[in-house]
Amino acid sequence: MVFPLCFALFVVGLYCVLAKRNTVKIVIGLAVMEYATNLFFILLGYRKQPRLADVQAPIRVSVANLDDFFFKAVDPLPQALVLTSIVIGVGVTALALALCIRLYQRYGTFDIDEMRRLKG
Amino acid sequence: MIQLLPLFVAIPLGAAFLTALAAFKARRLADVGSALATGALLVLAVITIGRQGVYPVGGFLAPLGITLVLDGFSVLLLLIVNGIGFLATLYSISYMERYTSKYKYFTLFLLMIGGMNGVVITGDVFNLFVFLEIASIASYALVAFGGEHEELEASFKYLVLGSVGSGFILLAIALVYGATGQLNMAGIAMALAGTDKHLLIAFASVLFLAGFSVKAALVPFHPWLPDAHPSAPAPISAMLSGVLIKALGVYALARIIFNVLGATPLFGMIVMGLGVLSMTVGVILAVGQWDFKRLLAYHSISQMGYVVLGIGLGMFILASGGDSVVAGTALLGGILHLANHAAFKSLLFFCAGSVEFRTGTRMLKELGGIQEKMPVTRLTCTVASLSIAGIPPLNGFWSKLIIVIATIQAAFTYPGLLVLTAVTVLVSFVTLVSFLKVLRYVFLGALPDAFRKIKESPFFMGVTIVSLALLCAGMGLLLVPAARGAILDPAIEALKQGLGYGSRVLAGM
């Protein structure tokens, strides 16, 4: 149930990138797409069993009850992936916004319809 | 040897940061350092010929840890990336004098090389995504390096489309992880081998195809390329067109589909369709262009169509259980054309850069008659043009011939494929016409007064274009049995093994 919603969020981001005319809004759309994917990753690591209250962060506290830990802990790998993915996303967003600012300095607008020097 | 594999990523990344630091003290150090780094990478790439192996990063073994995998297909791409990379560095030493802060350029350039090398040798899908983004972000910034209207606009377009492509790829990786619980390519291949196609995997394959097609600029996903390639400085155009769209697009797509997720006949047909579409649409759009570099960019789309057609045909025949020899011929054509295109298209972009460097324009109608002023550029440009148009005995002829032979052989089983033969030959002819136009307008005709005093391109640029022209003339020799056995056959075998990749990598090759 939650996974299709994630996908819907991804499509919302894609729509924003494709339909919006404002460069900053396009960058926001890219960010929405990326966060939808990150959310999907995190949800992949979630586990329903045992009860919600028992689910642990994937940090091992004691060596003694290892089986119990494996049974309760969420999958740590997606969390590590999401950290990496967020860092990459920040890099892309920073570059994109820098380009937006430079484009605004050159063209005096954020509207991509008015940036049409390249054609053909 | 296999212990040296991480150096393919470590050298360019290290050199990138050292270049940025050292340039505060001495500007020349950036030139020398970058040339040394890429030269060392080229030597390493040559050493890898004929070798294969698996390097576990940090000592964690295959299905759990990240592995670096060297096999035939990686070796070929390493040679292309680092060979063209080294020549582009030499060319940049003279060419980039026009720009301020050359060391920033070299920093980004080395980051891009590091990212591409990483994509080519990694054995882990998420790691592939990370390296892909390193190379992509560096290339977005390099396209905008001039900082003028066109460059910024092209870079923004490239960034948006490229990031959407990366988003698809990341989502596909998440789906694959959800379906198999693995991120290691070998692990995924093992988990999927012998099972029926899961619906999630089919969906992930389509997302991968869309994402990598954006990076490879196949036709419905191509609009960024004709803007980004002409706007970048000439050596970067050569790198983008000659190497980046292959390493990030075609290599990654072929690796994921053949060796990780497994090919299906339908998927092979879709890839073939994309190839044919790119070939025809690219060349039709190229004919009407009057901007030298923009024309070359459209021809890149068209030539990538050949590569993808060869690979897609091989995929289709293998997946539908056809003749393995015919599939091998198709793959050979595609892979050889990939290598050849790297040589002649980067040479063409270097020539366009030399012409622009001396004359200050790249509009074909404003140029003319510079054949006596720039004889070396004229000669090399002619070699490259004939090569891309498929005139024997230059390299482009051999790969196109093999692709045509493969389509005819395949047509014995699937008669409909004869259409492909016709299209392949026709596109090649239109390419020839288009390049005769380039040669006519740039080098022949009356010399405009403005160009009376121009000289031949500087030393380093001349060395680069001459060595690439020699490569173009000599790369047909790759088909000689000895060279073919060392470089091309291992690359084809790596693709033909399909999901067997998994068990081989886990066994350490």
Side-chain angles (χ1 to χ4, degrees):
Chain A
M1 176 56 212
V2 199
F3 293 137
L5 281 179
C6 247
F7 193 70
L9 187 61
F10 187 84
V11 176
V12 167
L14 190 59
Y15 169 79
C16 179
V17 172
L18 297 178
K20 292 296 170 187
R21 308 257 65 110
N22 185 313
T23 49
V24 178
K25 286 184 184 166
I26 291 175
V27 177
I28 293 173
L30 287 177
V32 171
M33 275 175 73
E34 191 211 321
Y35 288 129
T37 318
N38 288 348
L39 187 62
F40 185 64
F41 260 120
I42 289 293
L43 286 171
L44 280 178
Y46 173 76
R47 57 199 297 175
K48 283 188 200 135
Q49 292 138 15
R51 289 179 302 116
L52 186 58
D54 291 339
V55 175
Q56 276 187 3
I59 299 167
R60 198 167 60 166
V61 191
S62 65
V63 192
N65 47 358
L66 209 54
D67 287 341
D68 188 41
F69 170 74
F70 282 141
F71 185 62
K72 282 182 181 171
V74 297
D75 186 353
L77 192 56
Q79 305 193 354
L81 301 184
V82 166
L83 274 179
T84 316
S85 156
I86 287 173
V87 173
I88 293 172
V90 169
V92 173
T93 311
L95 183 61
L97 289 176
L99 283 176
C100 288
I101 293 169
R102 293 298 293 272
L103 277 169
Y104 184 76
Q105 286 170 349
R106 297 281 173 196
Y107 286 89
T109 174
F110 284 117
D111 189 346
I112 51 167
D113 282 339
E114 290 173 33
M115 302 172 193
R116 293 216 166 246
R117 293 234 181 157
L118 298 167
K119 269 187 191 165
Chain B
M1 166 57 215
I2 213 65
Q3 302 303 321
L4 297 178
L5 208 48
L7 285 180
F8 278 110
V9 180
I11 290 180
L13 290 189
F17 293 113
L18 289 180
T19 308
L21 281 180
F24 287 111
K25 289 283 177 198
R27 288 295 152 103
R28 277 285 148 205
L29 220 57
D31 299 357
V32 179
S34 319
L36 280 181
T38 48
L41 285 172
L42 179 58
V43 172
L44 274 178
V46 172
I47 297 175
T48 60
I49 293 177
R51 292 168 201 266
Q52 52 182 10
V54 179
Y55 178 86
V57 177
F60 295 100
L61 289 173
L64 294 177
I66 293 173
T67 47
L68 302 180
V69 181
L70 184 74
D71 67 3
F73 199 24
S74 312
V75 169
L76 182 77
L77 262 290
L78 283 177
L79 283 172
I80 296 173
V81 172
N82 298 306
I84 305 291
F86 176 61
L87 291 171
T89 317
L90 287 187
Y91 190 91
S92 309
I93 291 175
S94 300
Y95 185 85
M96 295 306 290
E97 288 298 335
R98 304 196 296 170
Y99 294 83
T100 51
S101 61
K102 205 164 141 193
Y103 69 97
K104 284 182 189 156
Y105 163 85
F106 275 121
T107 306
L108 288 167
F109 183 86
L110 287 165
L111 278 177
M112 189 168 85
I113 300 239
M116 287 190 288
N117 278 338
V119 167
V120 170
I121 57 174
T122 187
D124 180 283
V125 276
F126 193 76
N127 210 228
L128 181 120
F129 171 75
V130 173
F131 283 126
L132 186 109
E133 282 295 82
I134 293 176
S136 298
I137 294 173
S139 66
Y140 305 149
L142 281 168
V143 168
F145 200 76
E148 287 305 318
H149 291 78
E150 287 86 357
E151 282 100 345
L152 292 169
E153 189 185 329
S155 174
F156 189 73
K157 203 170 177 181
Y158 179 24
L159 185 143
V160 170
L161 277 167
S163 301
V164 170
S166 304
F168 283 154
I169 294 168
L170 188 60
L171 189 61
I173 291 171
L175 285 169
V176 170
Y177 180 69
T180 63
Q182 297 273 2
L183 282 172
N184 195 290
M185 288 185 191
I188 297 170
M190 289 294 276
L192 291 178
T195 58
D196 282 339
K197 278 278 162 183
H198 199 289
L199 195 61
L200 270 180
I201 296 298
F203 185 42
S205 309
V206 173
L207 285 174
F208 271 128
L209 179 67
F212 290 130
S213 298
V214 173
K215 303 285 179 190
L218 300 178
V219 151
F221 309 97
H222 72 286
W224 62 269
L225 187 142
D227 291 341
H229 287 203
S231 302
I236 294 307
S237 311
M239 284 302 283
L240 289 180
S241 216
V243 184
L244 190 104
I245 56 177
K246 300 185 177 69
L248 302 193
V250 176
Y251 167 84
L253 179 66
R255 177 68 84 200
I256 294 280
I257 298 303
F258 274 97
N259 295 146
V260 179
L261 298 181
T264 59
L266 175 66
F267 209 78
M269 279 170 74
I270 295 173
V271 174
M272 267 197 298
L274 284 175
V276 175
L277 203 62
S278 306
M279 262 161 70
T280 44
V281 175
V283 86
I284 290 169
L285 290 171
V287 168
Q289 297 300 322
W290 288 101
D291 179 332
F292 196 170
K293 282 169 84 176
R294 201 174 177 82
L295 183 144
L296 295 180
Y298 275 114
H299 277 295
S300 281
I301 299 176
S302 168
Q303 300 299 313
M304 287 317 279
Y306 278 96
V307 177
V308 170
L309 171 66
I311 290 176
L313 185 60
M315 192 188 289
F316 173 69
I317 298 170
L318 276 182
S320 53
D323 189 351
S324 162
V325 178
V326 180
T329 315
L331 289 175
L332 174 68
I335 289 174
L336 184 60
H337 201 65
L338 189 145
N340 288 341
H341 181 252
F344 57 65
K345 187 48 68 66
S346 37
L347 175 51
L348 281 167
F349 270 114
F350 285 143
C351 288
S354 292
V355 170
E356 193 192 359
F357 188 74
R358 285 305 187 202
T359 63
T361 180
R362 51 175 203 252
M363 304 311 290
L364 293 180
K365 283 183 176 164
E366 294 168 16
L367 289 162
I370 56 174
Q371 54 170 334
E372 281 167 16
K373 300 289 179 186
M374 305 178 78
V376 179
T377 311
R378 184 210 172 188
L379 190 69
T380 51
C381 193
T382 311
V383 169
S385 304
L386 296 182
S387 182
I388 194 174
I391 304 294
L394 299 163
N395 59 358
F397 168 72
W398 300 107
S399 44
K400 285 186 181 180
L401 182 69
I402 292 169
I403 292 175
V404 169
I405 291 174
T407 54
I408 293 174
Q409 281 179 337
F412 286 126
T413 330
Y414 312 96
L417 292 179
L418 270 180
V419 181
L420 296 184
T421 318
V423 172
T424 316
V425 176
L426 194 70
V427 168
S428 194
F429 179 70
V430 181
T431 311
L432 177 63
V433 173
S434 170
F435 275 95
L436 287 179
K437 174 179 114 178
V438 171
L439 293 177
R440 156 78 183 76
Y441 274 93
V442 176
F443 296 106
L444 304 178
L447 183 70
D449 287 338
F451 304 151
R452 293 255 175 252
K453 286 182 184 159
I454 62 169
K455 290 180 288 190
E456 182 53 75
S457 36
F459 174 71
F460 280 122
M461 288 159 75
V463 169
T464 313
I465 56 178
V466 169
S467 39
L468 271 171
L470 291 176
L471 258 185
C472 279
M475 267 174 75
L477 291 177
L478 275 179
L479 288 171
V480 172
R484 189 179 154 178
I487 298 175
L488 291 174
D489 283 344
I492 296 161
E493 287 309 316
L495 288 180
K496 271 166 90 175
Q497 65 185 336
L499 293 180
Y501 172 85
S503 49
R504 281 188 63 206
V505 169
L506 289 186
M509 291 281 188

